[in-house]
Amino acid sequence: LKPGMAVHGGAWAIPDDLLEAHRDGCAEALARGLAILEAGGSSLDAVEAAVVVMEDDETFDAGFGSFLNVEGEVTLDAAVMDGETLSTGAVVDLRGVPNAVQLARHVLASQHAVLVGEGAHRFALENDVIVCDPEALVSPRERQRWEAMKGLDTTAWAAELFGDTVGAVAIDREGNLAAATSTGGSPMKPLGRVGDSPFVGAGLYACNGTAAVSTTGHGELIIPLVWSKTAADLAGSGLPAQQAAEDALRRLERIGGRGGMIVIDAEGRIGVIWNTPHMAFAYRDPVTGEVIAGPHA
Ligand code: ASP
């Protein structure tokens, strides 16, 4: 079996001047993950490494450069899932950890599945995961955006304004699937608000034999659909990845939701779908070997 991979960098109305940075950032993340897979590395290592690239890239709403919450802080959610063992690790409402996905990976390796807030931060210190001053994750661009939105009533456009959450799905030489998702959440989110991204089944899912999935979009509507698990089950029932993704998107549309997802099925077929103006993504076509990346204007 040939290894395969797809990554995404969020689904929303990406401003024109940021389209190229999103496309390039996704292509770079994909290249990092594929290099690991080609060297015989695991899908779990590949998705983690790809997500780290996008967390470190200020273009995306994860790690440095994340959207700020209503208090003007970066608070992070991330999760990773191993399709072979169904082990999961998630961190929620985390501050001052630039690579939340690395911490999620440590949680996966522990006896726990989810750590939140202060406890997650303490777990980072215990496991030598890099920590920083929470303020160091605030990019000048996001501080400006926050200043412009401060005091405005954001509820009206909350359904439009989710961001460039990042994610990756992969299959390795052994046929093992894995998924990872990392986010700073939606801009101006209230204190304590958590979207779909760190919830297994909603923001990500991976199960050998069905599919690995990572999502982005309006978290409050993705959660009740258990959207990633839904897409994986559709793939498990025999639909190729793209059709599974299309069917899953129709279900999101039925409840008025907007977003996108990437899917890789047990045969290495890839699905990429969104109903927002753009989605940032990159994948290697399993048939031609060509790298396909977006968004385009
Ligand atoms: N799904 C994320 C959330 O609801 C936002 C995003 O995908 O950009 O927090």
PDB file of all heavy atoms in Angstrom, residues 193-216:
ATOM      1  N   ARG A 193     -15.487  28.960  25.566  1.00  0.00           N
ATOM      2  CA  ARG A 193     -16.161  28.324  24.423  1.00  0.00           C
ATOM      3  C   ARG A 193     -15.219  27.338  23.738  1.00  0.00           C
ATOM      4  O   ARG A 193     -14.065  27.647  23.443  1.00  0.00           O
ATOM      5  CB  ARG A 193     -16.624  29.392  23.438  1.00  0.00           C
ATOM      6  CG  ARG A 193     -17.337  28.847  22.189  1.00  0.00           C
ATOM      7  CD  ARG A 193     -16.375  28.592  21.058  1.00  0.00           C
ATOM      8  NE  ARG A 193     -17.050  28.156  19.834  1.00  0.00           N
ATOM      9  CZ  ARG A 193     -16.406  27.674  18.773  1.00  0.00           C
ATOM     10  NH1 ARG A 193     -15.100  27.562  18.780  1.00  0.00           N
ATOM     11  NH2 ARG A 193     -17.077  27.305  17.693  1.00  0.00           N
ATOM     12  N   VAL A 194     -15.702  26.142  23.453  1.00  0.00           N
ATOM     13  CA  VAL A 194     -14.930  25.143  22.722  1.00  0.00           C
ATOM     14  C   VAL A 194     -15.753  24.695  21.526  1.00  0.00           C
ATOM     15  O   VAL A 194     -16.948  24.413  21.670  1.00  0.00           O
ATOM     16  CB  VAL A 194     -14.600  23.929  23.625  1.00  0.00           C
ATOM     17  CG1 VAL A 194     -13.768  22.904  22.869  1.00  0.00           C
ATOM     18  CG2 VAL A 194     -13.866  24.387  24.880  1.00  0.00           C
ATOM     19  N   GLY A 195     -15.131  24.651  20.337  1.00  0.00           N
ATOM     20  CA  GLY A 195     -15.827  24.193  19.133  1.00  0.00           C
ATOM     21  C   GLY A 195     -15.683  22.687  18.972  1.00  0.00           C
ATOM     22  O   GLY A 195     -15.468  21.943  19.944  1.00  0.00           O
ATOM     23  N   ASP A 196     -15.785  22.235  17.748  1.00  0.00           N
ATOM     24  CA  ASP A 196     -15.741  20.793  17.472  1.00  0.00           C
ATOM     25  C   ASP A 196     -14.326  20.210  17.489  1.00  0.00           C
ATOM     26  O   ASP A 196     -14.142  19.007  17.697  1.00  0.00           O
ATOM     27  CB  ASP A 196     -16.336  20.531  16.085  1.00  0.00           C
ATOM     28  CG  ASP A 196     -15.580  21.312  15.014  1.00  0.00           C
ATOM     29  OD1 ASP A 196     -15.591  22.559  15.089  1.00  0.00           O
ATOM     30  OD2 ASP A 196     -14.947  20.703  14.134  1.00  0.00           O
ATOM     31  N   SER A 197     -13.339  21.081  17.240  1.00  0.00           N
ATOM     32  CA  SER A 197     -12.003  20.588  16.868  1.00  0.00           C
ATOM     33  C   SER A 197     -11.403  19.516  17.779  1.00  0.00           C
ATOM     34  O   SER A 197     -10.854  18.533  17.286  1.00  0.00           O
ATOM     35  CB  SER A 197     -11.038  21.764  16.729  1.00  0.00           C
ATOM     36  OG  SER A 197     -11.585  22.714  15.860  1.00  0.00           O
ATOM     37  N   PRO A 198     -11.466  19.648  19.140  1.00  0.00           N
ATOM     38  CA  PRO A 198     -10.806  18.631  19.963  1.00  0.00           C
ATOM     39  C   PRO A 198     -11.698  17.440  20.283  1.00  0.00           C
ATOM     40  O   PRO A 198     -11.257  16.532  21.011  1.00  0.00           O
ATOM     41  CB  PRO A 198     -10.478  19.407  21.246  1.00  0.00           C
ATOM     42  CG  PRO A 198     -11.613  20.368  21.376  1.00  0.00           C
ATOM     43  CD  PRO A 198     -12.012  20.744  19.955  1.00  0.00           C
ATOM     44  N   PHE A 199     -12.940  17.441  19.785  1.00  0.00           N
ATOM     45  CA  PHE A 199     -13.852  16.344  20.135  1.00  0.00           C
ATOM     46  C   PHE A 199     -13.740  15.194  19.147  1.00  0.00           C
ATOM     47  O   PHE A 199     -14.026  15.356  17.956  1.00  0.00           O
ATOM     48  CB  PHE A 199     -15.299  16.833  20.204  1.00  0.00           C
ATOM     49  CG  PHE A 199     -15.541  17.765  21.358  1.00  0.00           C
ATOM     50  CD1 PHE A 199     -15.892  19.072  21.145  1.00  0.00           C
ATOM     51  CD2 PHE A 199     -15.373  17.322  22.674  1.00  0.00           C
ATOM     52  CE1 PHE A 199     -16.102  19.940  22.211  1.00  0.00           C
ATOM     53  CE2 PHE A 199     -15.576  18.178  23.746  1.00  0.00           C
ATOM     54  CZ  PHE A 199     -15.937  19.488  23.507  1.00  0.00           C
ATOM     55  N   VAL A 200     -13.346  14.049  19.671  1.00  0.00           N
ATOM     56  CA  VAL A 200     -13.257  12.854  18.845  1.00  0.00           C
ATOM     57  C   VAL A 200     -14.641  12.544  18.300  1.00  0.00           C
ATOM     58  O   VAL A 200     -15.633  12.580  19.035  1.00  0.00           O
ATOM     59  CB  VAL A 200     -12.723  11.683  19.702  1.00  0.00           C
ATOM     60  CG1 VAL A 200     -12.959  10.350  19.017  1.00  0.00           C
ATOM     61  CG2 VAL A 200     -11.246  11.909  19.975  1.00  0.00           C
ATOM     62  N   GLY A 201     -14.710  12.289  17.007  1.00  0.00           N
ATOM     63  CA  GLY A 201     -16.003  12.035  16.368  1.00  0.00           C
ATOM     64  C   GLY A 201     -16.538  13.283  15.684  1.00  0.00           C
ATOM     65  O   GLY A 201     -17.180  13.206  14.656  1.00  0.00           O
ATOM     66  N   ALA A 202     -16.268  14.457  16.254  1.00  0.00           N
ATOM     67  CA  ALA A 202     -16.753  15.717  15.671  1.00  0.00           C
ATOM     68  C   ALA A 202     -15.653  16.358  14.828  1.00  0.00           C
ATOM     69  O   ALA A 202     -15.730  16.404  13.603  1.00  0.00           O
ATOM     70  CB  ALA A 202     -17.214  16.654  16.771  1.00  0.00           C
ATOM     71  N   GLY A 203     -14.569  16.829  15.489  1.00  0.00           N
ATOM     72  CA  GLY A 203     -13.500  17.527  14.783  1.00  0.00           C
ATOM     73  C   GLY A 203     -12.484  16.615  14.124  1.00  0.00           C
ATOM     74  O   GLY A 203     -11.690  17.074  13.288  1.00  0.00           O
ATOM     75  N   LEU A 204     -12.490  15.363  14.515  1.00  0.00           N
ATOM     76  CA  LEU A 204     -11.571  14.398  13.895  1.00  0.00           C
ATOM     77  C   LEU A 204     -12.030  12.982  14.211  1.00  0.00           C
ATOM     78  O   LEU A 204     -12.787  12.776  15.174  1.00  0.00           O
ATOM     79  CB  LEU A 204     -10.136  14.597  14.397  1.00  0.00           C
ATOM     80  CG  LEU A 204      -9.807  14.039  15.794  1.00  0.00           C
ATOM     81  CD1 LEU A 204      -8.309  14.020  16.003  1.00  0.00           C
ATOM     82  CD2 LEU A 204     -10.484  14.841  16.879  1.00  0.00           C
ATOM     83  N   TYR A 205     -11.564  12.048  13.410  1.00  0.00           N
ATOM     84  CA  TYR A 205     -11.812  10.634  13.683  1.00  0.00           C
ATOM     85  C   TYR A 205     -10.855   9.815  12.847  1.00  0.00           C
ATOM     86  O   TYR A 205     -10.484  10.209  11.750  1.00  0.00           O
ATOM     87  CB  TYR A 205     -13.258  10.228  13.358  1.00  0.00           C
ATOM     88  CG  TYR A 205     -13.634   8.939  14.028  1.00  0.00           C
ATOM     89  CD1 TYR A 205     -13.828   8.891  15.401  1.00  0.00           C
ATOM     90  CD2 TYR A 205     -13.727   7.748  13.300  1.00  0.00           C
ATOM     91  CE1 TYR A 205     -14.110   7.698  16.039  1.00  0.00           C
ATOM     92  CE2 TYR A 205     -14.021   6.554  13.933  1.00  0.00           C
ATOM     93  CZ  TYR A 205     -14.215   6.534  15.304  1.00  0.00           C
ATOM     94  OH  TYR A 205     -14.491   5.347  15.931  1.00  0.00           O
ATOM     95  N   ALA A 206     -10.441   8.679  13.377  1.00  0.00           N
ATOM     96  CA  ALA A 206      -9.601   7.769  12.593  1.00  0.00           C
ATOM     97  C   ALA A 206      -9.866   6.352  13.058  1.00  0.00           C
ATOM     98  O   ALA A 206      -9.860   6.075  14.263  1.00  0.00           O
ATOM     99  CB  ALA A 206      -8.122   8.103  12.776  1.00  0.00           C
ATOM    100  N   CYS A 207     -10.133   5.468  12.108  1.00  0.00           N
ATOM    101  CA  CYS A 207     -10.373   4.066  12.435  1.00  0.00           C
ATOM    102  C   CYS A 207      -9.927   3.232  11.241  1.00  0.00           C
ATOM    103  O   CYS A 207     -10.461   3.396  10.138  1.00  0.00           O
ATOM    104  CB  CYS A 207     -11.859   3.866  12.726  1.00  0.00           C
ATOM    105  SG  CYS A 207     -12.299   2.162  13.052  1.00  0.00           S
ATOM    106  N   ASN A 208      -8.944   2.373  11.447  1.00  0.00           N
ATOM    107  CA  ASN A 208      -8.515   1.498  10.356  1.00  0.00           C
ATOM    108  C   ASN A 208      -9.735   0.733   9.837  1.00  0.00           C
ATOM    109  O   ASN A 208     -10.543   0.259  10.620  1.00  0.00           O
ATOM    110  CB  ASN A 208      -7.483   0.481  10.860  1.00  0.00           C
ATOM    111  CG  ASN A 208      -6.104   1.101  11.019  1.00  0.00           C
ATOM    112  OD1 ASN A 208      -5.936   2.301  10.875  1.00  0.00           O
ATOM    113  ND2 ASN A 208      -5.127   0.260  11.308  1.00  0.00           N
ATOM    114  N   GLY A 209      -9.846   0.611   8.540  1.00  0.00           N
ATOM    115  CA  GLY A 209     -10.995  -0.108   7.987  1.00  0.00           C
ATOM    116  C   GLY A 209     -12.091   0.842   7.540  1.00  0.00           C
ATOM    117  O   GLY A 209     -12.920   0.483   6.708  1.00  0.00           O
ATOM    118  N   THR A 210     -12.132   2.060   8.102  1.00  0.00           N
ATOM    119  CA  THR A 210     -13.131   3.016   7.599  1.00  0.00           C
ATOM    120  C   THR A 210     -12.415   4.232   7.008  1.00  0.00           C
ATOM    121  O   THR A 210     -12.175   4.270   5.806  1.00  0.00           O
ATOM    122  CB  THR A 210     -14.170   3.430   8.668  1.00  0.00           C
ATOM    123  OG1 THR A 210     -13.534   4.125   9.735  1.00  0.00           O
ATOM    124  CG2 THR A 210     -14.890   2.233   9.229  1.00  0.00           C
ATOM    125  N   ALA A 211     -12.026   5.193   7.844  1.00  0.00           N
ATOM    126  CA  ALA A 211     -11.377   6.404   7.304  1.00  0.00           C
ATOM    127  C   ALA A 211     -10.772   7.233   8.417  1.00  0.00           C
ATOM    128  O   ALA A 211     -11.051   7.019   9.599  1.00  0.00           O
ATOM    129  CB  ALA A 211     -12.404   7.256   6.549  1.00  0.00           C
ATOM    130  N   ALA A 212      -9.929   8.190   8.021  1.00  0.00           N
ATOM    131  CA  ALA A 212      -9.468   9.247   8.920  1.00  0.00           C
ATOM    132  C   ALA A 212     -10.031  10.557   8.384  1.00  0.00           C
ATOM    133  O   ALA A 212     -10.036  10.787   7.166  1.00  0.00           O
ATOM    134  CB  ALA A 212      -7.938   9.305   8.965  1.00  0.00           C
ATOM    135  N   VAL A 213     -10.517  11.401   9.304  1.00  0.00           N
ATOM    136  CA  VAL A 213     -11.234  12.623   8.920  1.00  0.00           C
ATOM    137  C   VAL A 213     -10.797  13.773   9.820  1.00  0.00           C
ATOM    138  O   VAL A 213     -10.584  13.576  11.023  1.00  0.00           O
ATOM    139  CB  VAL A 213     -12.770  12.424   9.095  1.00  0.00           C
ATOM    140  CG1 VAL A 213     -13.534  13.662   8.622  1.00  0.00           C
ATOM    141  CG2 VAL A 213     -13.248  11.177   8.366  1.00  0.00           C
ATOM    142  N   SER A 214     -10.660  14.976   9.260  1.00  0.00           N
ATOM    143  CA  SER A 214     -10.463  16.192  10.062  1.00  0.00           C
ATOM    144  C   SER A 214     -11.366  17.277   9.488  1.00  0.00           C
ATOM    145  O   SER A 214     -11.475  17.422   8.264  1.00  0.00           O
ATOM    146  CB  SER A 214      -8.999  16.647  10.022  1.00  0.00           C
ATOM    147  OG  SER A 214      -8.861  17.906  10.676  1.00  0.00           O
ATOM    148  N   THR A 215     -12.004  18.048  10.371  1.00  0.00           N
ATOM    149  CA  THR A 215     -12.995  19.020   9.915  1.00  0.00           C
ATOM    150  C   THR A 215     -12.614  20.441  10.286  1.00  0.00           C
ATOM    151  O   THR A 215     -11.746  20.683  11.120  1.00  0.00           O
ATOM    152  CB  THR A 215     -14.374  18.745  10.550  1.00  0.00           C
ATOM    153  OG1 THR A 215     -14.284  19.022  11.948  1.00  0.00           O
ATOM    154  CG2 THR A 215     -14.821  17.325  10.328  1.00  0.00           C
ATOM    155  N   THR A 216     -13.332  21.369   9.693  1.00  0.00           N
ATOM    156  CA  THR A 216     -13.225  22.793  10.021  1.00  0.00           C
ATOM    157  C   THR A 216     -14.577  23.418   9.706  1.00  0.00           C
ATOM    158  O   THR A 216     -15.313  22.930   8.848  1.00  0.00           O
ATOM    159  CB  THR A 216     -12.102  23.478   9.212  1.00  0.00           C
ATOM    160  OG1 THR A 216     -12.174  24.890   9.415  1.00  0.00           O
ATOM    161  CG2 THR A 216     -12.210  23.195   7.728  1.00  0.00           C
TER     162      THR A 216
END
